[in-house]
Amino acid sequence: MMSSQGADRGPLVVVTEDGPEQAVTVAKGHPPELRAGPGFTIYERRRDVAGGQIEDFITVVPAAEPTLYAVSDDQFNAWKGKRLIARSVRLEPR
């Protein structure tokens, strides 16, 4: 579980849910405000020098679809070529 602060709504707790991994859409723009409800945790998947799989946490997205929002062209281009995965979560008031 992770905690985040929603704007003017108090702290939220991220509760993981069972479900399949999903593909991530990368879009330009600003991410939605953190709020209680359905969402996704987004990870970058890559391999280490020994060939083992590594997952680096990127962000929590409070939305019904797993979309990662890039606020700059550089960020968009960097994420567009990555192996990104999403897992379903719920954001709940703490």
Side-chain angles (χ1 to χ4, degrees):
M1 260 191 258
M2 295 173 260
S3 292
S4 292
Q5 182 75 26
D8 298 324
R9 290 177 175 55
L12 298 172
V13 175
V14 177
V15 180
T16 58
E17 294 186 330
D18 291 330
E21 294 177 349
Q22 297 184 32
V24 175
T25 301
V26 178
K28 290 183 184 176
H30 291 281
E33 181 179 301
L34 283 178
R35 56 166 171 59
F40 292 89
T41 52
I42 297 179
Y43 298 82
E44 176 186 353
R45 181 178 283 166
R46 54 193 171 86
R47 299 216 174 263
D48 62 18
V49 293
Q53 188 167 283
I54 298 172
E55 289 181 4
D56 283 332
F57 172 74
I58 294 177
T59 194
V60 173
V61 178
E65 296 295 323
T67 302
L68 184 59
Y69 292 91
V71 295
S72 70
D73 288 339
D74 289 340
Q75 194 176 45
F76 179 81
N77 292 333
W79 283 340
K80 195 68 177 165
K82 302 285 183 180
R83 294 175 58 204
L84 302 174
I85 57 167
R87 293 190 181 101
S88 295
V89 297
R90 282 185 334 275
L91 287 88
E92 298 180 351
R94 183 167 238 192

